Amino acid sequence: MDLSGQAGYWELLNTSESGEVFSQRARSASDAAVLRRKGHLKEQDRLIDFMRRMHETHTCEEVMLKMERWIAEHRQDPRRSRLRRLIPGIGAFFTPLKLVEAFREYDAFFALSRRKYIPPNFAELRHVVNIAQVHASADTLKLITFDADGTLYADGAHMEQDNQMIAHIINLMRSNVQVAIVTAAGYPGEPDKFEKRVQGLLEAFRKLKLPAEVTNRFHIMGGECNYLLRVRPTDKRLEFVPDAEWKTATMKSWREEDIVALLDEGEAMLQEGAKRLNLAVNIIRKNRAVGIVPTQPTIYEVLEDIALTIQTQLVAKVPFCAFNGGNDVFVDVGNKLLGLEALMKYLQVTPPEVLHVGDRFTDSGNDVATRDICSVLWVANPEETGFFIKMLLKDIRKSRWQPYIE
């Protein structure tokens, strides 16, 4: 993407939007604040932390030049790369990342390189990495997945008809990209409860009279990896995909008694952690998950400690994830990595063709596992999601010559 100077970035931030189906959104200078609002982001990441420390001895562009070169080297030989030695535990990179170009694009607008004393902060480096990932994924993207709460809409909310992401999701689907929501929410045998979470999107499908060819490209993976739903072509309602059609051999091998034992032990540890930290909670038990919700004000670090304690101490015969949801702590059967693995096999796509967008990539977040199977975008709030998906759509249009319809 050729964006030279501030004018190009303003053009990106203020893409013309119009249409009768979706309400028009304000186009003003306030749009530029999207990348400045970090929300309730918890900033933990080995790669970005290392890049921040590099600024003590390097200029911004020198950091990006070295990291771009080291990532390319790591992609060729992950076990013996310089990056592996510098950042133990660094994962895979499924696409090259042109960090220098991404930095120059970002710098032309935010002037990071012209600061005299203050280096880029965590969020600014995250934005640069995101921009590089968007540009890298656009040409080959076949599946994009989204976390729900905090990514597509605010925590505890739903996708209403005025959600800016509705138009973006539909345009992705019209561009022949599969779209899926991968969420911890799980409602076995109750597709109507999943529908309530995305009611505005399904209503748009009906209002636009989208053909089955398009709506077949939308799925929801619920309960991390336990339920897969698709859109019925006749009435644009959700229905469960039969387990036999999509579950992996690993998932099919899980025994019910082992799942119950996991949830029993998880519940006991959640209660013990809450008691240890003097936290009054309500217990929520589901078929494939158990969690606690505080009944009194608390702080993030309390929930973080409970989640990390369970991650390190719980031993089970089936895979699980214990995560801090920001307002609760849950132990779920399986994780999003397994959900994405099954979805990718079902849709017949490969890791370099997949991009996951989420807001919880810290050690206690339930998006972090997806890094082992595909490229990711780390966002802080739904507004950031909209910004980067708008950028992605512009790249896709440029590479595939498709008009943006809203």
Side-chain angles (χ1 to χ4, degrees):
M1 180 180 291
D2 181 18
L3 291 173
S4 57
Q6 293 192 7
Y9 215 85
W10 274 113
E11 181 182 355
L12 175 66
L13 286 169
N14 295 283
T15 302
S16 177
E17 300 163 346
S18 62
E20 299 178 356
V21 176
F22 306 103
S23 59
Q24 213 172 4
R25 298 186 295 279
R27 299 188 296 275
S28 68
S30 63
D31 289 345
V34 167
L35 293 186
R36 295 189 184 277
R37 296 196 301 270
K38 293 182 283 294
H40 195 61
L41 182 67
K42 299 304 173 180
E43 300 175 338
Q44 306 167 356
D45 183 84
R46 294 175 183 86
L47 176 68
I48 295 178
D49 286 341
F50 182 77
M51 292 172 68
R52 289 178 71 184
R53 292 195 299 272
M54 286 182 68
H55 282 82
E56 296 173 5
T57 54
H58 295 71
T59 67
C60 295
E61 190 151 326
E62 287 171 346
V63 171
M64 300 305 162
L65 184 62
K66 284 191 174 183
M67 289 305 305
E68 183 175 321
R69 186 171 66 246
W70 291 342
I71 288 171
E73 177 191 78
H74 183 74
R75 280 169 45 78
Q76 294 296 321
D77 189 357
R79 292 185 178 182
R80 294 179 294 181
S81 71
R82 183 191 298 262
L83 208 55
R84 174 74 66 186
R85 297 194 301 272
L86 293 171
I87 313 175
I90 191 72
F93 292 87
F94 298 95
T95 66
L97 292 178
K98 295 184 178 180
L99 292 172
V100 174
E101 289 184 10
F103 170 73
R104 289 172 179 170
E105 180 179 329
Y106 191 80
D107 187 53
F109 191 80
F110 289 108
L112 302 189
S113 64
R114 292 186 286 281
R115 293 180 188 167
K116 292 186 177 181
Y117 301 107
I118 306 300
N121 62 32
F122 185 98
E124 289 165 336
L125 293 175
R126 178 175 56 79
H127 294 155
V128 172
V129 174
N130 279 353
I131 291 169
Q133 188 60 66
V134 165
H135 295 334
S137 294
D139 285 348
T140 58
L141 187 65
K142 291 186 178 179
L143 168 64
I144 185 168
T145 62
F146 296 94
D147 173 49
D149 290 81
T151 300
L152 290 177
Y153 41 77
D155 284 334
H158 302 304
M159 187 175 285
E160 307 292 349
Q161 293 187 36
D162 61 351
N163 189 299
Q164 65 166 333
M165 285 303 301
I166 291 176
H168 297 335
I169 287 173
I170 291 174
N171 276 285
L172 285 165
M173 293 161 61
R174 282 172 161 162
S175 300
N176 203 30
V177 176
Q178 299 277 351
V179 176
I181 297 174
V182 182
T183 175
Y187 312 105
E190 299 180 285
D192 56 306
K193 289 190 175 181
F194 284 102
E195 288 179 353
K196 289 179 181 178
R197 313 256 316 189
V198 293
Q199 193 60 52
L201 179 63
L202 296 176
E203 183 59 35
F205 289 174
R206 289 187 282 268
K207 189 176 292 187
L208 291 171
K209 298 180 180 179
L210 295 181
E213 177 187 5
V214 174
T215 58
N216 286 346
R217 298 185 187 122
F218 180 78
H219 293 82
I220 294 179
M221 179 69 73
E224 310 283 358
C225 64
N226 290 287
Y227 317 103
L228 183 63
L229 296 94
R230 61 191 173 198
V231 178
R232 278 201 306 250
T234 52
D235 57 5
K236 306 300 186 285
R237 300 286 300 274
L238 294 179
E239 65 179 6
F240 285 100
V241 180
D243 289 353
E245 293 185 21
W246 68 273
K247 283 197 171 181
T248 63
T250 298
M251 293 176 177
K252 293 174 182 177
S253 70
W254 298 343
R255 298 189 305 172
E256 193 61 32
E257 55 264 39
D258 292 335
I259 291 173
V260 172
L262 162 65
L263 296 178
D264 287 345
E265 182 64 18
E267 182 173 342
M269 293 185 72
L270 285 166
Q271 290 179 317
E272 186 280 329
K275 182 179 179 180
R276 171 171 55 87
L277 297 171
N278 297 320
L279 183 64
V281 298
N282 287 329
I283 295 285
I284 297 177
R285 180 75 178 250
K286 299 182 179 181
N287 287 17
R288 294 291 175 103
V290 61
I292 54 172
V293 179
T295 60
Q296 65 188 56
T298 188
I299 59 175
Y300 181 90
E301 286 73 15
V302 169
L303 303 180
E304 187 85 348
D305 189 81
I306 295 172
L308 292 176
T309 299
I310 295 174
Q311 280 185 18
T312 55
Q313 297 184 7
L314 178 57
V315 178
K317 293 182 178 180
V318 295
F320 70 92
C321 67
F323 67 96
N324 175 3
N327 300 306
D328 51 38
V329 179
F330 265 84
V331 178
D332 288 358
V333 176
N335 54 51
K336 289 187 179 182
L337 183 152
L338 295 171
L340 266 172
E341 181 182 45
L343 186 61
M344 290 163 63
K345 183 178 179 181
Y346 177 67
L347 298 175
Q348 299 181 324
V349 297
T350 61
E353 299 168 328
V354 182
L355 182 64
H356 177 70
V357 186
D359 69 322
R360 297 202 173 272
F361 288 100
T362 59
D363 289 342
S364 66
N366 65 338
D367 288 308
V368 67
T370 63
R371 282 181 157 168
D372 292 334
I373 201 168
C374 69
S375 301
V376 303
L377 291 184
W378 183 351
V379 298
N381 48 51
E383 291 77 18
E384 274 198 11
T385 304
F387 176 88
F388 288 114
I389 299 308
K390 190 184 296 185
M391 177 181 286
L392 176 64
L393 281 164
K394 185 167 184 175
D395 277 9
I396 290 174
R397 293 199 310 277
K398 184 177 178 181
S399 65
R400 305 181 191 182
W401 296 99
Q402 292 191 352
Y404 184 81
I405 304 171
E406 186 165 6

